Coordinates of all heavy atoms in Angstrom, one line a residue:
G143 N -16.6 -2.3 26.0 CA -17.0 -3.4 25.2 C -16.2 -3.5 23.9 O -16.3 -4.5 23.2
I144 N -15.4 -2.5 23.6 CA -14.6 -2.4 22.4 C -13.1 -2.6 22.6 O -12.5 -3.4 21.9 CB -14.9 -1.1 21.6 CG1 -16.3 -0.9 21.3 CG2 -14.0 -1.0 20.4 CD1 -16.7 0.5 20.9
L145 N -12.6 -1.9 23.6 CA -11.2 -2.0 24.0 C -11.0 -2.4 25.4 O -11.8 -1.9 26.3 CB -10.6 -0.6 23.7 CG -10.6 0.0 22.3 CD1 -10.2 1.4 22.4 CD2 -9.8 -0.8 21.4
D146 N -10.0 -3.2 25.7 CA -9.8 -3.5 27.1 C -8.9 -2.3 27.7 O -8.3 -1.6 26.9 CB -9.1 -4.9 27.3 CG -7.7 -5.0 26.8 OD1 -6.9 -4.1 27.1 OD2 -7.5 -6.0 26.0
P147 N -8.9 -2.2 29.0 CA -8.1 -1.1 29.6 C -6.7 -1.0 29.2 O -6.1 0.1 29.0 CB -8.3 -1.3 31.1 CG -9.5 -2.1 31.3 CD -9.6 -3.0 30.0
G148 N -6.0 -2.1 29.0 CA -4.6 -2.1 28.5 C -4.5 -1.5 27.2 O -3.5 -0.8 26.9
E149 N -5.4 -1.8 26.3 CA -5.4 -1.2 24.9 C -5.6 0.3 25.0 O -4.9 1.1 24.3 CB -6.5 -1.8 24.0 CG -6.2 -3.2 23.6 CD -7.3 -3.9 22.9 OE1 -8.5 -3.8 23.3 OE2 -7.0 -4.5 21.8
V150 N -6.5 0.8 25.9 CA -6.7 2.2 26.0 C -5.4 2.9 26.5 O -5.0 3.9 26.0 CB -7.9 2.5 26.9 CG1 -8.0 4.0 27.2 CG2 -9.2 2.0 26.3
E151 N -4.8 2.3 27.5 CA -3.5 2.8 28.1 C -2.4 2.9 27.0 O -1.6 3.8 27.1 CB -3.1 2.0 29.3 CG -4.0 2.2 30.5 CD -3.5 1.4 31.7 OE1 -2.4 0.9 31.7 OE2 -4.3 1.2 32.6
T152 N -2.4 1.9 26.1 CA -1.4 1.9 25.0 C -1.7 3.0 24.0 O -0.8 3.7 23.5 CB -1.4 0.5 24.3 OG1 -1.1 -0.4 25.3 CG2 -0.4 0.5 23.2
I153 N -3.0 3.2 23.6 CA -3.4 4.1 22.6 C -3.3 5.6 23.0 O -2.9 6.4 22.2 CB -4.9 3.8 22.1 CG1 -4.9 2.4 21.4 CG2 -5.4 4.9 21.2 CD1 -6.3 1.9 21.1
L154 N -3.7 5.9 24.2 CA -3.7 7.3 24.7 C -2.4 8.0 24.5 O -2.5 9.2 23.9 CB -4.2 7.4 26.1 CG -5.7 7.3 26.3 CD1 -6.0 7.3 27.8 CD2 -6.4 8.5 25.6
P155 N -1.3 7.5 24.8 CA -0.1 8.3 24.6 C 0.2 8.5 23.1 O 0.7 9.6 22.7 CB 1.1 7.5 25.2 CG 0.4 6.6 26.2 CD -1.0 6.3 25.6
I156 N -0.1 7.6 22.3 CA 0.0 7.7 20.8 C -0.9 8.8 20.3 O -0.5 9.7 19.5 CB -0.2 6.4 20.1 CG1 0.8 5.4 20.6 CG2 -0.2 6.6 18.6 CD1 0.5 3.9 20.2
L157 N -2.2 8.8 20.8 CA -3.1 9.8 20.3 C -2.7 11.2 20.8 O -2.8 12.2 20.0 CB -4.5 9.5 20.8 CG -5.2 8.3 20.2 CD1 -6.5 8.0 20.9 CD2 -5.4 8.4 18.7
R158 N -2.2 11.3 22.0 CA -1.7 12.6 22.5 C -0.5 13.1 21.7 O -0.5 14.3 21.4 CB -1.3 12.5 24.0 CG -2.5 12.5 24.9 CD -2.0 12.7 26.4 NE -3.2 12.5 27.2 CZ -3.4 11.3 27.9 NH1 -2.6 10.3 27.9 NH2 -4.5 11.2 28.7
R159 N 0.4 12.2 21.4 CA 1.6 12.6 20.6 C 1.1 13.1 19.2 O 1.6 14.2 18.7 CB 2.5 11.5 20.5 CG 3.9 11.9 19.9 CD 4.9 10.8 19.9 NE 4.6 9.8 18.8 CZ 4.5 8.5 19.0 NH1 4.7 7.9 20.1 NH2 4.3 7.7 17.9
L160 N 0.1 12.4 18.6 CA -0.4 12.8 17.3 C -1.1 14.2 17.4 O -0.9 15.1 16.6 CB -1.4 11.8 16.8 CG -2.1 12.1 15.5 CD1 -1.1 12.3 14.3 CD2 -3.1 11.0 15.2
R161 N -1.9 14.4 18.5 CA -2.6 15.7 18.7 C -1.7 16.8 18.8 O -1.8 17.9 18.2 CB -3.6 15.6 19.9 CG -4.2 17.0 20.2 CD -5.0 17.0 21.5 NE -4.3 16.4 22.6 CZ -3.5 17.0 23.4 NH1 -3.1 18.3 23.2 NH2 -3.0 16.4 24.5
I162 N -0.6 16.6 19.6 CA 0.3 17.7 19.9 C 1.1 18.0 18.6 O 1.3 19.2 18.3 CB 1.3 17.2 21.0 CG1 0.6 17.2 22.3 CG2 2.5 18.2 21.0 CD1 1.3 16.5 23.4

Side-chain angles (χ1 to χ4, degrees):
I144 299 167
L145 301 170
D146 68 50
E149 289 174 312
V150 174
E151 288 179 20
T152 299
I153 291 169
L154 277 175
I156 296 166
L157 292 174
R158 281 191 188 103
R159 191 174 77 229
L160 177 62
R161 174 188 46 84
I162 290 166

